[in-house]
Amino acid sequence: MFEEGAGCVAVVGVQWGDEGKGKIVDVLAERATIVARYQGGANAGHTVRVEGEEFVLHLIPSGILYPGVRCLMGNGTVVDPWTLLEEMAGLRARGIDLERRLGLSSRAHLVLPYHRMLDRALEASRGVDRIGTTGRGIGPAYRDKVNRTGLRVGDLRDPGRAAEVVRAACSAANDTMERLELDDRVDPEEVLEALEAVRPSFLELATDVGQEIRDGLGEGGRVLLEGAQGSLLDIDHGTYPFVTSSTTTAGGAAAGVGIGPTMIDEVIGVVKAYTTRVGNGPFPTELPGEEAERLRSLGDEFGATTGRPRRPGWFDGVAVNFAAGVNGLTGLAVTKLDVLDSFRELQVAVGYTLEEEPLARFPDSAAELERVRPVYERLPGWEEDTTGARRWDDLPELARGYLERLEQLAGAPIQWVSVGQARRQIIRVGPSRGVPIAG
Ligand code: GDP
Ligand code: IMO
Ligand code: MG
């Protein structure tokens, strides 16, 4: 990690989101010059805890709590202007200096009120098959982008063009509402008026994110690309259609900020020591009833964006191995190990069966994934407090054994282990386990 000076490191979620990307990015940001988001929008909720204070970031990269780090939102993100301005105001009110520290790609697409309206309406119309979206307008905003009917940040420089796009989009959205027999409507003139009010402060943030990163790397800078959501929510590689609408995996990082894939030196995959999912969709290692309740309360598993209870389950080695491959992970950061401290016995899925037959791969169909049964391996719990561990050797032997099993299943080396919410509750795992490298 930035040991030899310059470099570009992507940090991606390897499960269904909420792996602790915010915490890991914050830890790594200490040595970064730029942190950039490359996809997603305010559907993300990244929690960073510093000196007892908790910050939940939705659009602003998790490097913002280190003064001097430049934080960028790339062309691959979708940005709701009002959510961003509110998030900025919230940080300023808590004493975080944002002066010249934030930049937003002029190529990023805007999330506008009709996207939120459509998100809610489309979910309602899906009935029992609903995805369980965050309701932040993400799917409809990306749909407009791909459909070539979206509004980009840079379009605000030309109010006439912006008005055309917004009027056409509102008319299409209102038609959809009528077809769905729903009452909500959006008034294009209201949207335009509201946009006009935020236009100056918004355009002030506009920049060429790709150019900034390329220049930064050329000058010896250290860049972190912060993924949102998780690999199993990726639009292509996730459990479609129960996914988000962007490329969450490392392949999307280069395209999402505007650099070449050869410029990314490392890809760190963040995994929880167990699994959670929020929203609907298949989840083979999901725990039932009381067991789920125990893990949920120990891990405080409630959504950082919507407050919804997350669905907890055991670590799924099949899913993580698949995601590790799709991302080309060079290393793993395992989080929330401490949440498992009180368990007498743990389980990890080491394979799946489908109709009693072993299945050699991670299914490409959500319907098939719904029907697989995990093959579990039982591992003894360590039943010791790990929250004070700061070196690999401080961890109980059984905890190290558990982590080594996760590492084997993932097929990527563990580089970081997180044992609590706080910034200092982190273990840097060197190539030879016993010799930690100073973080
Ligand atoms: P993200 O979306 O991947 O950034 O993850 P979230 O912030 O949504 O959820 C992760 C939650 O776990 C947050 O509340 C973090 O503060 C918390 N967390 C992160 N790492 C650890 C850890 O090692 N131990 C514990 N107990 N909590 C952690
Ligand atoms: P972070 O970055 C967990 C889930 C939603 C839903 C699906 C689609 O904090 O890890 P969307 O609103 O994106 O159209 O919803 O994706 N989802 C997340 N789950 N963490 C997230 O972000 C998520 N962002 C979206 O619950 O199932
Ligand atoms: Mg989250």
Side-chain angles (χ1 to χ4, degrees):
M1 253 311 296
F2 300 149
E3 260 91 24
E4 283 117 39
C8 181
V9 176
V11 178
V12 299
V14 184
Q15 293 153 324
W16 278 285
D18 303 326
E19 297 90 349
K21 298 175 293 294
K23 149 107 197 217
I24 297 299
V25 169
D26 170 72
V27 166
L28 301 183
E30 186 183 4
R31 303 181 64 188
T33 51
I34 293 178
V35 180
R37 281 273 305 269
Y38 60 87
Q39 46 68 237
N43 47 350
H46 295 181
T47 315
V48 180
R49 201 178 176 91
V50 183
E51 280 152 24
E53 264 205 84
E54 188 168 290
F55 296 85
V56 180
L57 302 159
H58 299 288
L59 284 163
I60 294 175
S62 304
I64 201 71
L65 301 176
Y66 276 106
V69 175
R70 176 114 171 119
C71 288
L72 304 172
M73 287 154 274
N75 55 278
T77 62
V78 288
V79 177
D80 179 321
W82 300 278
T83 307
L84 178 59
L85 294 172
E86 193 184 307
E87 194 169 327
M88 289 169 64
L91 287 175
R92 281 204 191 95
R94 293 174 74 179
I96 310 295
D97 178 20
L98 303 181
E99 207 52 48
R100 279 189 290 278
R101 294 191 52 207
L102 274 186
L104 169 61
S105 170
S106 47
R107 295 178 172 91
H109 279 249
L110 296 186
V111 179
L112 293 168
Y114 46 87
H115 294 125
R116 282 183 185 245
M117 176 180 82
L118 287 174
D119 194 359
R120 284 192 303 269
L122 294 168
E123 277 286 270
S125 73
R126 284 185 194 110
V128 289
D129 295 326
R130 71 188 188 282
I131 294 162
T133 71
T134 58
R136 297 295 188 271
I138 304 301
Y142 277 114
R143 190 170 77 171
D144 269 347
K145 169 177 174 170
V146 175
N147 202 33
R148 295 163 292 187
T149 50
L151 188 70
R152 309 209 296 181
V153 172
D155 292 332
L156 294 180
R157 295 185 194 114
D158 178 350
R161 168 155 168 73
E164 251 174 60
V165 173
V166 167
R167 288 195 186 109
C170 285
S171 155
N174 288 336
D175 285 351
T176 303
M177 298 302 283
E178 197 171 323
R179 189 169 45 76
L180 295 174
E181 294 174 12
L182 292 168
D183 291 335
D184 253 10
R185 291 292 180 276
V186 65
D187 175 356
E189 305 316 312
E190 258 176 42
V191 175
L192 287 168
E193 204 175 301
L195 261 181
E196 190 50 36
V198 296
R199 202 165 77 96
S201 39
F202 214 56
L203 276 176
E204 230 169 69
L205 300 172
T207 184
D208 185 333
V209 166
Q211 190 69 52
E212 277 205 38
I213 294 181
R214 296 192 298 271
D215 289 349
L217 287 171
E219 289 158 9
R222 294 175 296 277
V223 177
L224 284 174
L225 304 179
E226 174 177 0
Q229 290 77 56
S231 302
L232 302 170
L233 289 169
D234 183 279
I235 185 73
D236 290 287
H237 305 288
T239 49
Y240 193 88
F242 301 97
V243 293
T244 191
S245 298
S246 63
T247 300
T248 60
T249 43
V257 294
I259 60 170
T262 51
M263 298 174 87
I264 299 175
D265 302 299
E266 290 179 46
V267 182
I268 310 279
V270 186
V271 282
K272 258 180 212 176
Y274 50 98
T275 316
T276 60
R277 172 162 204 167
V278 59
N280 299 328
F283 179 2
T285 62
E286 182 167 15
L287 279 165
E290 254 173 50
E291 282 179 287
E293 204 46 64
R294 178 173 179 206
L295 204 45
R296 186 181 299 120
S297 80
L298 285 169
D300 194 18
E301 295 294 356
F302 294 89
T305 296
T306 58
R308 289 178 290 178
R310 295 175 181 149
R311 300 157 59 190
W314 296 122
F315 186 86
D316 185 338
V318 185
V320 167
N321 182 273
F322 165 74
V326 171
N327 284 293
L329 295 186
T330 57
L332 281 181
V334 181
T335 61
K336 301 193 108 164
L337 183 74
D338 55 295
V339 173
L340 303 180
D341 283 353
S342 64
F343 284 78
R344 180 179 295 252
E345 187 180 73
L346 300 159
Q347 299 190 50
V348 294
V350 298
Y352 293 157
T353 58
L354 182 66
E355 275 126 35
E356 318 286 314
E357 292 295 320
L359 195 66
R361 61 188 166 80
F362 186 72
D364 56 15
S365 128
E368 193 172 304
L369 190 63
E370 198 68 74
R371 289 186 291 123
V372 305
R373 292 172 74 99
V375 178
Y376 284 116
E377 191 172 287
R378 290 168 190 275
L379 288 127
W382 43 95
E383 297 181 276
E384 255 181 76
D385 183 355
T386 60
T387 56
R390 297 293 175 268
R391 300 156 48 103
W392 179 257
D393 287 343
D394 295 340
L395 290 171
E397 197 179 336
L398 289 171
R400 282 182 271 149
Y402 181 77
L403 288 168
E404 280 174 343
R405 189 68 181 116
L406 303 195
E407 180 175 60
Q408 274 169 1
L409 290 165
I414 295 180
Q415 294 181 339
W416 302 88
V417 178
S418 174
V419 290
Q421 281 192 297
R423 193 179 259 174
R424 63 176 193 288
Q425 289 177 302
I426 191 85
I427 300 170
R428 172 72 161 114
V429 182
S432 54
R433 290 287 136 86
V435 198
I437 301 166

